[in-house]
Amino acid sequence: MKKLKYKLLAFALLLSSISIAQQTPGSKQKEAISIEGATAHLGNGEVIENSLIMFNEGKITFVGSANTKIARQGKIMQVQGKHIYPGFIAPNSTLGLVEVDAVRASNDVDEVGTMNPHIRSLIAYNTESKVVESMRPNGVLMGQITPRGGRISGTSSVVQFDAWNWEDAAIKVDDGIHLNWPNPFSRGRWWLGEPAMLKENKNYKKQVEELTAYFTDSKAYQASAKSPKHLPFEALQGVIDGSKKLYVHVNGERGITDAINFTKANNIKHLVVVGAYEAHKVSGLLKQNNIPVLLQRVHSKPKNDDDDYDLPFKLANKLVKAGVLVGLENAGDMERMNARNLPFLAGTCAAYGLDKEQALSLITLNTAKILGIDDTVGSLEVGKDATLFISEGDALDMRTNKLSKAYIQGRDISLESHQTELYKRYSKKYKK
């Protein structure tokens, strides 16, 4: 009887662990796979009807027409009528840094202090996160894990969403440093009876001067004996020597212009503007200086009284037409949970002027180029990682984006999550 009790207890513990655990990462690819018959959206603007995609040992080995006379490798999958896409990439995300907002112990999104370039988001990234798990059923298979807070938030890294630990997850370690540009304007505080209109930020000049002094001191440190060691200045070396990118989070026209002038004055080679709500007003300047942008969430209301009601929807189209390299990010309210809706933001951009394949590039190859990972991901090309998925329909349409298979670096990953389990459970409730 005692043995039976122990067995029942062990079984209960097993069930409880299954219900709360992240899906086990997929096994390393053991045999070649050939996917035939689907419409392949390559991510670079090209589409192949009746395609043949082959990959082995985690790398794509063939991309072309299924009519090509070539020996199929390994396991052959016939997927006529379906669509193949490269894995989507969520930049400027806090996925894996916060599990429950109300539980402080699960929140590693920001650090105490103002200037924190040495804070690395990667080592706080939680591969067991249930929130991260919920990205994969929509095709969001990678993300740039980004700290928040302060004037300089810290250093981001790019990960894939199928790993045992952060070391396994990393695609690009410490890809760039994130700076929150001071706001040249502020709004009145209505609860104190102040008018809600924009007014000059009296501290703006001082805040920019503080940034300038900080970078000047950092460059002086780099040229010195570096003793005693200064970790924040050490971390800025990559931005100064050009091996890392500087992601400046700024929305207004004046702020974007000043940020560009700041990077020029400090000889910073690689600038990315994040947010960029008024980027269309300085698109010529961005194009002239070859500066890419990561646009804030498309599904937002206009910020200014005189903006077009649909400006957030058509902003990507305006910038693409101006020749600016554009990617989409999803920062804002409930950013982590809503990151799974990234493909539908691109779908909205397609509905407001962009070609469908151009819109797809906003969350695939364009973003990969901006993050500096386009040599391995972002498009379906020979030699790149086999990070891709098969959808029953248009992946940019929430009505038809139903994944049947997904692979990360050739590994066949699970598309189950806590949410899909609940869906299956409650979908049967009224069928009895």
Side-chain angles (χ1 to χ4, degrees), residues 220-231:
Y221 171 82
Q222 307 299 339
S224 71
K226 300 184 179 180
S227 180
K229 179 169 282 192
H230 192 287
L231 291 179

PDB file of all heavy atoms in Angstrom, residues 220-231:
ATOM      1  N   ALA A 220      38.355  58.942 -23.627  1.00  0.00           N
ATOM      2  CA  ALA A 220      39.615  59.244 -22.940  1.00  0.00           C
ATOM      3  C   ALA A 220      40.098  58.027 -22.154  1.00  0.00           C
ATOM      4  O   ALA A 220      41.304  57.723 -22.123  1.00  0.00           O
ATOM      5  CB  ALA A 220      39.418  60.431 -22.011  1.00  0.00           C
ATOM      6  N   TYR A 221      39.156  57.322 -21.555  1.00  0.00           N
ATOM      7  CA  TYR A 221      39.504  56.092 -20.816  1.00  0.00           C
ATOM      8  C   TYR A 221      40.080  55.037 -21.757  1.00  0.00           C
ATOM      9  O   TYR A 221      41.076  54.369 -21.430  1.00  0.00           O
ATOM     10  CB  TYR A 221      38.263  55.566 -20.105  1.00  0.00           C
ATOM     11  CG  TYR A 221      38.450  54.193 -19.487  1.00  0.00           C
ATOM     12  CD1 TYR A 221      39.061  54.041 -18.245  1.00  0.00           C
ATOM     13  CD2 TYR A 221      38.015  53.048 -20.148  1.00  0.00           C
ATOM     14  CE1 TYR A 221      39.233  52.789 -17.678  1.00  0.00           C
ATOM     15  CE2 TYR A 221      38.184  51.790 -19.604  1.00  0.00           C
ATOM     16  CZ  TYR A 221      38.796  51.666 -18.367  1.00  0.00           C
ATOM     17  OH  TYR A 221      38.979  50.416 -17.817  1.00  0.00           O
ATOM     18  N   GLN A 222      39.445  54.891 -22.948  1.00  0.00           N
ATOM     19  CA  GLN A 222      39.930  53.891 -23.913  1.00  0.00           C
ATOM     20  C   GLN A 222      41.371  54.182 -24.332  1.00  0.00           C
ATOM     21  O   GLN A 222      42.145  53.253 -24.585  1.00  0.00           O
ATOM     22  CB  GLN A 222      39.036  53.872 -25.168  1.00  0.00           C
ATOM     23  CG  GLN A 222      37.551  53.705 -24.927  1.00  0.00           C
ATOM     24  CD  GLN A 222      37.169  52.404 -24.248  1.00  0.00           C
ATOM     25  OE1 GLN A 222      37.928  51.449 -24.277  1.00  0.00           O
ATOM     26  NE2 GLN A 222      35.995  52.370 -23.627  1.00  0.00           N
ATOM     27  N   ALA A 223      41.723  55.453 -24.386  1.00  0.00           N
ATOM     28  CA  ALA A 223      43.060  55.840 -24.832  1.00  0.00           C
ATOM     29  C   ALA A 223      44.083  55.845 -23.703  1.00  0.00           C
ATOM     30  O   ALA A 223      45.266  56.095 -23.936  1.00  0.00           O
ATOM     31  CB  ALA A 223      43.002  57.231 -25.472  1.00  0.00           C
ATOM     32  N   SER A 224      43.623  55.561 -22.478  1.00  0.00           N
ATOM     33  CA  SER A 224      44.506  55.610 -21.320  1.00  0.00           C
ATOM     34  C   SER A 224      44.984  54.211 -20.945  1.00  0.00           C
ATOM     35  O   SER A 224      44.758  53.240 -21.661  1.00  0.00           O
ATOM     36  CB  SER A 224      43.780  56.255 -20.133  1.00  0.00           C
ATOM     37  OG  SER A 224      42.782  55.367 -19.649  1.00  0.00           O
ATOM     38  N   ALA A 225      45.598  54.101 -19.786  1.00  0.00           N
ATOM     39  CA  ALA A 225      46.087  52.805 -19.289  1.00  0.00           C
ATOM     40  C   ALA A 225      44.956  51.942 -18.733  1.00  0.00           C
ATOM     41  O   ALA A 225      45.184  50.801 -18.338  1.00  0.00           O
ATOM     42  CB  ALA A 225      47.134  53.039 -18.210  1.00  0.00           C
ATOM     43  N   LYS A 226      43.741  52.490 -18.671  1.00  0.00           N
ATOM     44  CA  LYS A 226      42.562  51.774 -18.185  1.00  0.00           C
ATOM     45  C   LYS A 226      42.753  51.248 -16.760  1.00  0.00           C
ATOM     46  O   LYS A 226      42.439  50.091 -16.452  1.00  0.00           O
ATOM     47  CB  LYS A 226      42.202  50.614 -19.125  1.00  0.00           C
ATOM     48  CG  LYS A 226      41.878  51.043 -20.538  1.00  0.00           C
ATOM     49  CD  LYS A 226      41.430  49.867 -21.386  1.00  0.00           C
ATOM     50  CE  LYS A 226      41.090  50.304 -22.796  1.00  0.00           C
ATOM     51  NZ  LYS A 226      40.651  49.177 -23.642  1.00  0.00           N
ATOM     52  N   SER A 227      43.261  52.097 -15.930  1.00  0.00           N
ATOM     53  CA  SER A 227      43.453  51.728 -14.532  1.00  0.00           C
ATOM     54  C   SER A 227      43.082  52.927 -13.658  1.00  0.00           C
ATOM     55  O   SER A 227      43.588  54.041 -13.879  1.00  0.00           O
ATOM     56  CB  SER A 227      44.904  51.313 -14.287  1.00  0.00           C
ATOM     57  OG  SER A 227      45.104  50.960 -12.928  1.00  0.00           O
ATOM     58  N   PRO A 228      42.193  52.705 -12.675  1.00  0.00           N
ATOM     59  CA  PRO A 228      41.509  51.440 -12.380  1.00  0.00           C
ATOM     60  C   PRO A 228      40.448  51.114 -13.431  1.00  0.00           C
ATOM     61  O   PRO A 228      39.993  52.010 -14.148  1.00  0.00           O
ATOM     62  CB  PRO A 228      40.859  51.710 -11.022  1.00  0.00           C
ATOM     63  CG  PRO A 228      40.616  53.191 -11.023  1.00  0.00           C
ATOM     64  CD  PRO A 228      41.800  53.789 -11.751  1.00  0.00           C
ATOM     65  N   LYS A 229      40.073  49.851 -13.509  1.00  0.00           N
ATOM     66  CA  LYS A 229      39.113  49.408 -14.534  1.00  0.00           C
ATOM     67  C   LYS A 229      37.752  50.045 -14.278  1.00  0.00           C
ATOM     68  O   LYS A 229      37.255  50.090 -13.151  1.00  0.00           O
ATOM     69  CB  LYS A 229      39.000  47.890 -14.528  1.00  0.00           C
ATOM     70  CG  LYS A 229      38.001  47.355 -15.556  1.00  0.00           C
ATOM     71  CD  LYS A 229      38.079  45.863 -15.719  1.00  0.00           C
ATOM     72  CE  LYS A 229      39.265  45.484 -16.586  1.00  0.00           C
ATOM     73  NZ  LYS A 229      39.207  44.049 -16.999  1.00  0.00           N
ATOM     74  N   HIS A 230      37.140  50.528 -15.358  1.00  0.00           N
ATOM     75  CA  HIS A 230      35.824  51.177 -15.299  1.00  0.00           C
ATOM     76  C   HIS A 230      34.896  50.375 -16.216  1.00  0.00           C
ATOM     77  O   HIS A 230      34.936  50.525 -17.443  1.00  0.00           O
ATOM     78  CB  HIS A 230      35.945  52.630 -15.763  1.00  0.00           C
ATOM     79  CG  HIS A 230      34.744  53.473 -15.483  1.00  0.00           C
ATOM     80  ND1 HIS A 230      33.568  53.354 -16.180  1.00  0.00           N
ATOM     81  CD2 HIS A 230      34.535  54.464 -14.559  1.00  0.00           C
ATOM     82  CE1 HIS A 230      32.691  54.232 -15.730  1.00  0.00           C
ATOM     83  NE2 HIS A 230      33.257  54.924 -14.736  1.00  0.00           N
ATOM     84  N   LEU A 231      34.062  49.533 -15.640  1.00  0.00           N
ATOM     85  CA  LEU A 231      33.247  48.607 -16.432  1.00  0.00           C
ATOM     86  C   LEU A 231      32.298  49.304 -17.407  1.00  0.00           C
ATOM     87  O   LEU A 231      32.178  48.872 -18.556  1.00  0.00           O
ATOM     88  CB  LEU A 231      32.471  47.670 -15.504  1.00  0.00           C
ATOM     89  CG  LEU A 231      33.311  46.648 -14.726  1.00  0.00           C
ATOM     90  CD1 LEU A 231      32.414  45.792 -13.830  1.00  0.00           C
ATOM     91  CD2 LEU A 231      34.091  45.759 -15.690  1.00  0.00           C
TER      92      LEU A 231
END
